[in-house]
């Protein structure tokens, strides 16, 4: 199924998502250079080659394996009249708002499951093994995890009957939010405190990348911060402080997480 065209912008949704993604990446990378929060444990060049290599591999495999993306599923559900929001007589703007919030919860729940179910953790640890956290870490997800995430989204889009526009907005915002909250950026304390009332900030998400298990298993949100507060998985600050905290996973405190092949094969290692 072809993606819907956003004629008003002269671009299709894939091009728009890519433009938003690249624009956000460049802005956050620039801010990391101007206002860095932490010193790096590994050389940036090699890490970035590895993390970009992983996301390029992800993109190629998704194109080869998945004949349809979440927006296509939303269009099909709308054509067939499937899903809760297609059965309710509510305004379009309300359908978009509900779908956006529910999909954000779905990603929070998926993230939690990836930590508590061992087979999914094997995949997700590729993301956590990064010894530094910066904007490139948001790219670092194993291809199998990306494919499973798409299937998870398909199910929620079908159950909801989410409007295609809601799915586009959600995907675009989620990608931008992930780049933002993984960035190695030093925000003013007051601004961080204000922003995290609504969205996940870099300081809030950095806690999640700590080697301390209690902190690793907290702050699962990628966009809205409400879910961690609501379900009791919110930790405000790392025990060791942001400058002294150790990032990554305890078994992999070496230069290996900066290697592409090692990272791709990590889920298949016995440990």
């Amino acid at each position: 199924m072809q993606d819907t065209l956003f004629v008003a912008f002269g671009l299709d949704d894939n091009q728009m998502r890519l433009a938003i993604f690249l624009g956000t990446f460049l802005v956050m990378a620039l801010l990391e250079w101007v206002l860095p929060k932490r010193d790096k444990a590994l050389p940036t060049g090699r890490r970035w080659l590895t993390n970009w290599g992983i996301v390029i591999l992800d993109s190629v495999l998704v194109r080869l394996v998945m004949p349809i993306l979440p927006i296509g599923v939303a269009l099909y559900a709308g054509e067939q009249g499937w899903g809760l929001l297609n059965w309710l007589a509510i305004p379009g703007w309300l359908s978009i708002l509900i779908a956006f919030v529910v999909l954000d919860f779905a990603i929070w729940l998926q993230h939690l499951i990836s930590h508590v179910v061992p087979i999914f953790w094997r995949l997700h640890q590729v993301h956590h093994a990064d010894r530094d956290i910066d904007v490139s870490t948001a790219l670092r997800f194993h291809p199998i995890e990306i494919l499973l995430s798409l299937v998870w989204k398909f199910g929620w889009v079908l159950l909801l009957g989410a409007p295609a526009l809601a799915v586009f907005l959600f995907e675009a915002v989620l990608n931008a939010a992930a780049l933002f909250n993984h960035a190695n950026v030093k925000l003013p304390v007051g601004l961080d405190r204000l922003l995290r009332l609504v969205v996940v900030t870099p300081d809030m998400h950095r806690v999640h990348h700590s080697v301390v298990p209690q902190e690793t298993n907290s702050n699962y949100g990628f966009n809205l911060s409400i879910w961690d507060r609501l379900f009791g998985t919110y930790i405000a600050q790392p025990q060791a402080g942001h400058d002294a905290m150790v990032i990554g996973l305890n078994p992999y405190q070496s230069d290996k997480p900066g290697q592409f092949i090692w990272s791709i094969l990590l889920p298949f290692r016995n440990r």
Side-chain angles (χ1 to χ4, degrees), residues 140-203:
R140 185 187 169 99
F141 289 92
H142 197 275
I144 298 176
E145 182 175 17
I146 293 295
L147 292 172
L148 292 174
S149 178
L150 281 172
V151 174
W152 176 261
K153 289 177 187 175
F154 293 168
W156 282 86
V157 168
L158 288 171
L159 285 172
L160 271 175
L165 181 57
V167 176
F168 166 76
L169 291 173
F170 172 74
E171 293 272 272
V173 170
L174 181 67
N175 287 339
L179 293 168
F180 167 68
N181 60 48
H182 282 88
N184 182 36
V185 173
K186 185 175 183 178
L187 293 181
V189 174
L191 179 59
D192 175 84
R193 187 183 300 117
L194 180 63
L195 288 176
R196 72 167 63 191
L197 293 175
V198 181
V199 298
V200 178
T201 65
D203 278 8

Side-chain angles (χ1 to χ4, degrees), residues 91-106:
W93 67 266
L94 185 56
S95 291
I96 292 172
L97 178 61
I98 292 172
F100 185 95
V101 173
V102 173
L103 288 172
D104 194 77
F105 168 75

